[in-house]
């Protein structure tokens, strides 16, 4: 039998060509599938999957404010940038200096650590809502009399915190230094220093601040 078999060789060539074409077709088909998948994923990623703003009703200093806000905006930024109430200051922006302290339902909070949408339906009071230049809140007047500020940057937070702090004492809320938990706390100098320790004064006006608080509390230093 001859080794040369044109029929078998031709069949092998045809098979190889057909296989290569099939492989190339599969590869191209696969490439197209990957490209189509990537394009679809890009389109999905580009499409927003959640609303970028939310409607929120904030009640600040006795007035209602309907706002469309980014749900990630802090209460501090909403007050300063949307309502233009710039009394609360942005200090550390980490809840450590107390310069942004405001009152929510009468309790003091650092407004840089809470979202505006979380305070809907609550009564928010800023330094602008405590008193007016013509009719100061007793704590504001005491700070003026005792010069309880130097640069003044921390003063709004100090005053808001002091107002709520005295209410905490009246309500019998103990602090870390309250010795007898069975008796009502009193606004002693030690209690005031401990309870105001979350408000930092870079200028060091602590003694004057404490004089102002003591006057409003009706205690002697």
């Amino acid at each position: 039998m001859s080794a040369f078999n044109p029929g078998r060789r031709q069949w092998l060539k045809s098979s190889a060509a057909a296989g290569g074409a099939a492989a190339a077709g599969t590869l191209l088909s696969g490439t197209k599938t990957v490209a189509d998948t990537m394009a679809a994923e890009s389109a999905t990623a580009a499409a927003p999957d959640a609303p970028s703003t939310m409607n929120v009703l904030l009640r600040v200093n006795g007035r209602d404010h309907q706002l469309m806000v980014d749900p990630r905006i802090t209460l501090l930024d909403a007050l300063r940038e949307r309502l233009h109430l710039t009394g609360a200051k942005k200090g550390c922006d980490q809840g450590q200096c107390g310069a942004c302290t405001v009152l929510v339902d009468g309790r003091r909070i650092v407004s840089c650590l809470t979202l505006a949408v979380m305070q809907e339906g609550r009564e928010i009071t800023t330094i602008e809502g405590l008193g007016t230049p013509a009719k100061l809140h007793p704590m504001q007047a005491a700070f003026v009399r005792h010069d309880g500020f130097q640069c003044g940057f921390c003063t709004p937070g100090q005053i808001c915190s002091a107002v709520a702090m005295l209410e905490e004492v009246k309500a019998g809320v103990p602090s870390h230094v309250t010795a007898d938990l069975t008796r009502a706390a009193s606004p002693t100098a030690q209690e005031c220093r401990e309870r105001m320790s979350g408000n930092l004064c870079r200028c060091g006006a602590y003694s004057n601040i404490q004089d102002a608080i003591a006057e409003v509390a009706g205690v002697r230093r």
Side-chain angles (χ1 to χ4, degrees):
M1 181 177 178
S2 173
F4 176 71
N5 187 342
R8 181 171 179 273
R9 177 171 295 178
Q10 188 62 36
W11 180 83
L12 290 173
K13 287 182 178 179
S14 300
S15 297
T26 301
L27 181 60
L28 289 174
S29 175
T31 302
K32 183 179 180 180
T33 300
V34 171
D36 290 345
T37 301
M38 292 177 65
E41 289 178 349
S42 297
T44 302
D49 55 1
S52 57
T53 58
M54 289 182 64
N55 192 7
V56 61
L57 177 65
L58 295 181
R59 184 166 180 78
V60 183
N61 299 334
R63 293 181 57 191
D64 291 333
H65 300 271
Q66 196 81 50
L67 301 174
M68 290 294 292
V69 299
D70 186 318
R72 299 165 297 180
I73 191 172
T74 65
L75 177 59
L76 174 61
D77 287 339
L79 291 172
R80 291 180 56 85
E81 298 175 8
R82 300 299 303 276
L83 300 182
H84 308 295
L85 296 171
T86 56
K89 298 298 189 290
K90 181 176 283 191
C92 66
D93 205 19
Q94 297 180 1
Q96 297 182 6
C97 73
C100 65
T101 301
V102 300
L103 309 181
V104 174
D105 289 342
R107 301 184 66 179
R108 50 184 172 165
I109 66 169
V110 281
S111 56
C112 70
L113 291 188
T114 185
L115 300 177
V117 295
M118 296 170 63
Q119 305 306 329
E120 187 171 40
R122 298 184 175 181
E123 191 72 38
I124 302 165
T125 305
T126 68
I127 189 67
E128 292 91 343
L130 281 181
T132 65
K135 187 178 181 181
L136 294 176
H137 184 280
M139 190 64 76
Q140 292 173 312
F143 266 65
V144 172
R145 278 194 296 275
H146 292 276
D147 193 18
F149 45 81
Q150 289 184 9
C151 80
F153 188 82
C154 70
T155 305
Q158 295 272 8
I159 292 175
C160 286
S161 187
V163 169
M165 181 271 289
L166 292 183
E167 292 301 318
E168 293 167 9
V169 174
K170 289 180 182 177
V173 178
S175 77
H176 181 67
V177 299
T178 303
D180 187 353
L181 299 182
T182 64
R183 301 179 60 181
S186 60
T188 63
Q190 187 180 20
E191 284 281 358
C192 289
R193 284 198 296 268
E194 167 61 22
R195 292 170 189 266
M196 292 294 293
S197 61
N199 291 77
L200 303 179
C201 174
R202 292 170 177 80
C203 306
Y206 292 119
S207 60
N208 293 1
I209 290 171
Q210 191 158 351
D211 286 342
I213 295 173
E215 178 188 309
V216 176
V219 298
R220 291 179 177 272
R221 289 192 62 196

